[in-house]
Amino acid sequence: MTTLFGMADLTIETGEHVTRLRLFEGPLDLSFKHCAITADFVAEFVALRYRASRSLYREVRHNVGYLTNELIENAVKFRMGGEVLLEASIEANTFRAKVSNFIDKTAAQRFQHLLSEITTGDPGDLLIERIEANAMHVSTTTSGLGLLTLMSDYGAHFAWVFGSREQDNKIPLETYASITVPDISN
Protein backbone atom coordinates (compact mmCIF):
# COMPACT_ATOMS: atom_id res chain seq x y z
CA MET A 1 0.00 0.00 0.00
CA THR A 2 1.30 3.44 -0.94
CA THR A 3 1.57 5.91 1.95
CA LEU A 4 1.22 9.67 1.44
CA PHE A 5 2.23 12.49 3.77
CA GLY A 6 1.69 16.16 2.93
CA MET A 7 -0.21 17.80 0.09
CA ALA A 8 -1.65 15.26 -2.35
CA ASP A 9 -2.01 17.80 -5.17
CA LEU A 10 1.80 18.20 -5.27
CA THR A 11 2.16 14.61 -6.45
CA ILE A 12 0.47 15.33 -9.78
CA GLU A 13 3.06 14.97 -12.52
CA THR A 14 4.18 18.22 -14.15
CA GLY A 15 4.19 16.94 -17.72
CA GLU A 16 6.72 17.54 -20.45
CA HIS A 17 8.35 20.72 -19.11
CA VAL A 18 10.55 18.92 -16.61
CA THR A 19 14.31 18.91 -16.28
CA ARG A 20 15.65 15.56 -15.05
CA LEU A 21 19.01 14.99 -13.41
CA ARG A 22 20.29 11.62 -12.22
CA LEU A 23 22.94 11.33 -9.56
CA PHE A 24 24.49 7.93 -10.06
CA GLU A 25 26.19 5.90 -7.41
CA GLY A 26 29.72 5.16 -8.57
CA PRO A 27 33.40 5.15 -7.73
CA LEU A 28 33.27 8.66 -6.26
CA ASP A 29 30.13 7.83 -4.23
CA LEU A 30 27.42 10.42 -3.79
CA SER A 31 28.37 13.02 -1.22
CA PHE A 32 27.12 16.35 0.09
CA LYS A 33 29.54 18.03 -2.34
CA HIS A 34 27.55 16.54 -5.23
CA CYS A 35 24.32 17.74 -3.60
CA ALA A 36 25.57 21.31 -3.41
CA ILE A 37 26.89 21.33 -6.98
CA THR A 38 23.62 19.91 -8.32
CA ALA A 39 21.50 22.34 -6.27
CA ASP A 40 23.62 25.27 -7.47
CA PHE A 41 23.16 24.14 -11.08
CA VAL A 42 19.36 23.93 -10.71
CA ALA A 43 19.20 27.25 -8.86
CA GLU A 44 21.25 29.01 -11.53
CA PHE A 45 19.15 27.46 -14.29
CA VAL A 46 15.92 28.73 -12.68
CA ALA A 47 17.31 32.13 -11.63
CA LEU A 48 18.60 33.06 -15.09
CA ARG A 49 15.11 34.16 -16.13
CA TYR A 50 15.35 36.85 -13.41
CA ARG A 51 18.74 38.24 -14.42
CA ALA A 52 17.24 41.64 -15.34
CA SER A 53 16.77 42.31 -11.62
CA ARG A 54 19.79 41.60 -9.45
CA SER A 55 17.69 41.35 -6.27
CA LEU A 56 15.12 38.95 -7.80
CA TYR A 57 17.89 36.87 -9.34
CA ARG A 58 19.66 36.53 -5.97
CA GLU A 59 16.41 35.78 -4.10
CA VAL A 60 15.27 33.09 -6.54
CA ARG A 61 18.73 31.55 -6.79
CA HIS A 62 19.03 31.37 -3.01
CA ASN A 63 15.51 30.01 -2.38
CA VAL A 64 15.56 27.41 -5.15
CA GLY A 65 19.12 26.40 -4.26
CA TYR A 66 18.31 25.97 -0.57
CA LEU A 67 15.19 23.90 -1.28
CA THR A 68 16.91 21.73 -3.89
CA ASN A 69 19.99 21.17 -1.74
CA GLU A 70 17.87 20.10 1.25
CA LEU A 71 15.91 17.62 -0.88
CA ILE A 72 19.00 16.10 -2.49
CA GLU A 73 20.98 15.96 0.78
CA ASN A 74 18.14 14.12 2.51
CA ALA A 75 17.89 11.66 -0.40
CA VAL A 76 21.64 11.00 -0.35
CA LYS A 77 21.86 10.85 3.44
CA PHE A 78 19.05 8.34 3.93
CA ARG A 79 19.15 6.36 0.69
CA MET A 80 19.78 2.66 0.54
CA GLY A 81 22.15 2.57 -2.38
CA GLY A 82 21.41 3.41 -5.96
CA GLU A 83 20.81 6.61 -7.83
CA VAL A 84 18.93 9.72 -6.86
CA LEU A 85 16.63 11.23 -9.49
CA LEU A 86 15.79 14.95 -9.39
CA GLU A 87 13.00 16.37 -11.55
CA ALA A 88 12.37 20.13 -11.57
CA SER A 89 10.03 22.49 -13.35
CA ILE A 90 8.93 26.09 -13.21
CA GLU A 91 5.60 27.43 -14.38
CA ALA A 92 4.20 30.91 -13.78
CA ASN A 93 5.19 31.59 -10.17
CA THR A 94 5.85 28.07 -8.89
CA PHE A 95 9.07 26.07 -8.78
CA ARG A 96 8.38 22.36 -8.30
CA ALA A 97 10.81 19.56 -7.57
CA LYS A 98 10.56 15.83 -7.15
CA VAL A 99 13.35 13.67 -5.75
CA SER A 100 13.19 9.89 -6.01
CA ASN A 101 15.35 7.37 -4.20
CA PHE A 102 15.17 4.12 -2.24
CA ILE A 103 15.31 3.76 1.56
CA ASP A 104 15.21 0.75 3.86
CA LYS A 105 12.24 -0.21 6.06
CA THR A 106 13.77 1.17 9.25
CA ALA A 107 14.54 4.55 7.70
CA ALA A 108 11.04 4.63 6.17
CA GLN A 109 9.42 4.01 9.56
CA ARG A 110 11.55 6.67 11.29
CA PHE A 111 10.90 9.18 8.51
CA GLN A 112 7.15 8.50 8.53
CA HIS A 113 7.13 9.10 12.29
CA LEU A 114 8.96 12.41 11.81
CA LEU A 115 6.58 13.42 9.02
CA SER A 116 3.54 12.65 11.15
CA GLU A 117 4.95 15.13 13.67
CA ILE A 118 6.04 17.95 11.36
CA THR A 119 3.05 17.89 9.01
CA THR A 120 0.37 18.21 11.69
CA GLY A 121 1.36 21.38 13.55
CA ASP A 122 2.33 24.93 12.77
CA PRO A 123 5.75 24.82 11.06
CA GLY A 124 6.96 27.99 12.84
CA ASP A 125 6.08 26.66 16.30
CA LEU A 126 7.56 23.24 15.52
CA LEU A 127 10.75 24.86 14.22
CA ILE A 128 11.23 26.76 17.49
CA GLU A 129 10.55 23.58 19.51
CA ARG A 130 13.10 21.60 17.48
CA ILE A 131 15.74 24.34 17.75
CA GLU A 132 15.24 24.46 21.53
CA ALA A 133 15.44 20.66 21.78
CA ASN A 134 18.68 20.64 19.77
CA ALA A 135 20.13 23.43 21.95
CA MET A 136 19.35 21.39 25.07
CA HIS A 137 20.97 18.35 23.42
CA VAL A 138 17.75 16.36 23.51
CA SER A 139 18.48 13.19 21.58
CA THR A 140 16.64 12.97 18.28
CA THR A 141 17.81 10.84 15.40
CA THR A 142 16.28 13.16 12.81
CA SER A 143 15.35 16.70 13.68
CA GLY A 144 13.54 17.84 10.53
CA LEU A 145 15.03 21.34 10.97
CA GLY A 146 15.73 21.80 7.26
CA LEU A 147 12.21 20.85 6.22
CA LEU A 148 10.63 22.94 8.98
CA THR A 149 12.77 25.96 8.03
CA LEU A 150 11.66 25.63 4.42
CA MET A 151 8.01 25.33 5.46
CA SER A 152 8.12 28.15 8.02
CA ASP A 153 10.49 30.70 6.48
CA TYR A 154 10.19 29.99 2.75
CA GLY A 155 6.56 28.89 2.43
CA ALA A 156 7.54 25.57 0.87
CA HIS A 157 4.93 22.85 0.49
CA PHE A 158 5.77 19.16 0.58
CA ALA A 159 4.40 15.71 -0.12
CA TRP A 160 6.05 12.34 0.39
CA VAL A 161 4.99 9.10 -1.24
CA PHE A 162 6.33 5.85 0.17
CA GLY A 163 5.84 3.17 -2.48
CA SER A 164 4.38 -0.22 -1.88
CA ARG A 165 6.62 -2.10 -4.30
CA GLU A 166 9.51 -3.22 -2.13
CA GLN A 167 12.54 -4.24 -4.20
CA ASP A 168 15.42 -6.06 -2.49
CA ASN A 169 14.31 -4.66 0.91
CA LYS A 170 14.30 -1.17 -0.62
CA ILE A 171 11.23 1.07 -0.46
CA PRO A 172 10.78 3.69 -3.19
CA LEU A 173 10.40 7.21 -1.81
CA GLU A 174 9.27 10.23 -3.80
CA THR A 175 9.61 13.66 -2.20
CA TYR A 176 7.67 16.49 -3.82
CA ALA A 177 8.18 20.17 -3.05
CA SER A 178 6.99 23.51 -4.33
CA ILE A 179 7.96 27.07 -3.60
CA THR A 180 6.60 30.35 -4.91
CA VAL A 181 8.86 32.44 -7.14
CA PRO A 182 8.08 35.83 -8.70
CA ASP A 183 5.91 35.68 -11.82
CA ILE A 184 7.75 37.31 -14.72
CA SER A 185 5.13 36.58 -17.36
CA ASN A 186 3.41 39.94 -16.74
Side-chain angles (χ1 to χ4, degrees):
M1 179 175 168
T2 300
T3 306
L4 169 72
F5 288 85
M7 301 178 68
D9 62 330
L10 281 181
T11 63
I12 298 169
E13 297 298 322
T14 56
E16 63 191 47
H17 301 291
V18 175
T19 300
R20 289 179 183 84
L21 299 170
R22 288 188 192 278
L23 302 176
F24 291 101
E25 188 171 44
L28 295 177
D29 199 20
L30 287 175
S31 68
F32 288 146
K33 177 182 176 184
H34 298 108
C35 300
I37 291 168
T38 304
D40 284 346
F41 173 78
V42 171
E44 182 67 25
F45 183 75
V46 171
L48 280 176
R49 62 181 24 203
Y50 300 94
R51 65 183 172 265
S53 167
R54 183 172 170 85
S55 63
L56 282 180
Y57 167 84
R58 291 175 60 179
E59 175 189 345
V60 170
R61 191 175 192 293
H62 168 76
N63 293 355
V64 168
Y66 182 59
L67 173 69
T68 305
N69 190 62
E70 185 68 23
L71 294 175
I72 299 170
E73 277 188 0
N74 283 345
V76 168
K77 183 176 174 182
F78 298 108
R79 83 185 194 291
M80 186 175 176
E83 69 185 35
V84 173
L85 174 64
L86 167 68
E87 299 177 56
S89 68
I90 187 164
E91 290 186 35
N93 67 334
T94 304
F95 170 77
R96 294 177 63 170
K98 172 185 170 187
V99 175
S100 305
N101 62 295
F102 288 94
I103 60 176
D104 66 29
K105 280 185 177 182
T106 304
Q109 290 170 342
R110 282 194 316 256
F111 194 37
Q112 288 176 1
H113 177 73
L114 173 71
L115 293 176
S116 68
E117 292 175 358
I118 69 171
T119 58
T120 57
D122 176 78
D125 293 341
L126 292 168
L127 178 61
I128 292 168
E129 288 175 21
R130 296 287 173 144
I131 290 171
E132 289 172 351
N134 279 359
M136 294 175 21
H137 306 291
V138 174
S139 176
T140 57
T141 54
T142 308
S143 68
L145 285 174
L147 296 173
L148 286 169
T149 298
L150 283 161
M151 293 164 68
S152 174
D153 298 351
Y154 293 80
H157 298 283
F158 292 97
W160 296 268
V161 176
F162 294 82
S164 58
R165 300 179 287 113
E166 190 176 318
Q167 302 170 357
D168 301 324
N169 294 319
K170 297 177 182 179
I171 297 172
L173 172 62
E174 295 175 341
T175 302
Y176 297 83
S178 72
I179 192 168
T180 302
V181 294
D183 188 357
I184 59 169
S185 63
N186 297 334

